[in-house]
Amino acid sequence: MQSMEAHLRLSAANYPVVSFGTGSLVRLPGPTITQPNVYAFNTTSYDSMYKELDSKDQRLYRANGLLNMLERNRGVKWGPERWQDWRVGAPRLNHRQDKGSIGIEGGIVDIVITCEERCWDAVVDDLLNRGSPLNRPVHIINVDIKDNHEEALVGGKAILDLADSLSRSAEEDMEAKGPQGWLKGGRTGFDERVPDLLAEWQERWPQLPALWTLAWF
């Protein structure tokens, strides 16, 4: 819920964005705690999830917010993707209908934002296991957001504020060094400023604990 709200906010602000889960399967609440609705990443569309749950028990899944969430999600992207299956640097030309897809066709990002510490841990561990084949720095930031609708709305707004701060700093660095100079390793000024930018952001959003590390693709 949290990551898709952030995806929607960032894409609405014209940021290139792609979103992932880190679990082995997509698990959504079912009729009981021991009966979740389980779906595969990468091969199951949000539309098919919506239609299945709507046919199973429309009253239940409308009341618990799942149908509303899936209706939003299917308007954002085709379906859930798993982080560990992402081939960094591989073209994403089959995701052109996803919101935020413009600018990320090359399959590379500079910032990764997670919404739970366990997801941050999973991303950091996965990148360590990959062995940084591209030798490209990437900032991994966790913004701890509770998994409910109200907190997701607040968290989405906070993540957009963080993205704005990071983007302004990157643009200033790029203007000073030129686009080619920035891409050829001249982005160290921006990379060094990220912890300070995050600390300033944390003062504006003290209710959302944050973590940061620099990793490598």
Side-chain angles (χ1 to χ4, degrees):
M1 180 180 292
Q2 315 101 304
S3 64
M4 288 301 294
E5 179 62 32
H7 186 141
L8 182 60
R9 287 267 187 165
L10 292 168
S11 62
N14 296 316
Y15 282 108
V17 58
V18 60
S19 54
F20 299 93
T22 58
S24 57
L25 293 165
V26 179
R27 291 179 172 84
L28 301 178
T32 68
I33 294 177
T34 59
Q35 295 175 290
N37 292 285
V38 179
Y39 302 98
F41 279 106
N42 308 321
T43 58
T44 312
S45 71
Y46 284 121
D47 186 59
S48 65
M49 293 181 199
Y50 179 94
K51 290 176 179 176
E52 180 179 308
L53 297 186
D54 187 57
S55 65
K56 278 184 175 180
D57 192 332
Q58 185 184 72
R59 180 179 295 180
L60 170 64
Y61 295 120
R62 183 67 67 185
N64 69 8
L66 267 187
L67 288 179
N68 291 338
M69 181 190 77
L70 290 171
E71 190 166 17
R72 176 204 63 189
N73 290 1
R74 67 181 180 176
V76 174
K77 61 183 297 185
W78 181 85
E81 300 175 75
R82 186 170 181 262
W83 167 272
Q84 292 88 339
D85 300 327
W86 180 32
R87 292 174 55 217
V88 179
R92 292 179 55 82
L93 302 181
N94 59 337
H95 292 270
R96 288 173 177 167
Q97 300 304 313
D98 294 354
K99 291 187 183 298
S101 62
I102 297 174
I104 203 168
E105 298 90 343
I108 292 286
V109 299
D110 297 306
I111 308 289
V112 173
I113 299 177
T114 61
C115 300
E116 295 181 64
E117 188 170 345
R118 65 177 180 84
C119 297
W120 187 82
D121 289 338
V123 168
V124 172
D125 288 345
D126 177 66
L127 290 178
L128 286 173
N129 290 333
R130 293 190 189 208
S132 56
L134 303 182
N135 196 33
R136 182 185 174 104
V138 57
H139 296 271
I140 316 297
I141 299 170
N142 184 68
V143 177
D144 207 48
I145 302 171
K146 294 179 181 177
D147 194 11
N148 62 62
H149 181 67
E150 293 75 16
E151 294 292 335
L153 290 174
V154 173
K157 185 177 179 180
I159 287 174
L160 177 58
D161 179 37
L162 177 58
D164 287 339
S165 295
L166 295 169
S167 180
R168 281 194 298 270
S169 180
E171 286 173 1
E172 291 169 1
D173 209 37
M174 194 177 296
E175 286 177 5
K177 296 170 182 174
Q180 292 304 315
W182 203 79
L183 291 172
K184 291 179 179 178
R187 53 175 277 181
T188 52
F190 166 74
D191 290 331
E192 291 169 355
R193 282 200 299 274
V194 169
D196 293 333
L197 294 169
L198 184 59
E200 293 170 3
W201 173 90
Q202 187 73 87
E203 290 180 0
R204 299 195 296 274
W205 301 91
Q207 76 276 30
L208 298 173
L211 292 170
W212 165 86
T213 192
L214 182 65
W216 301 84
F217 279 141

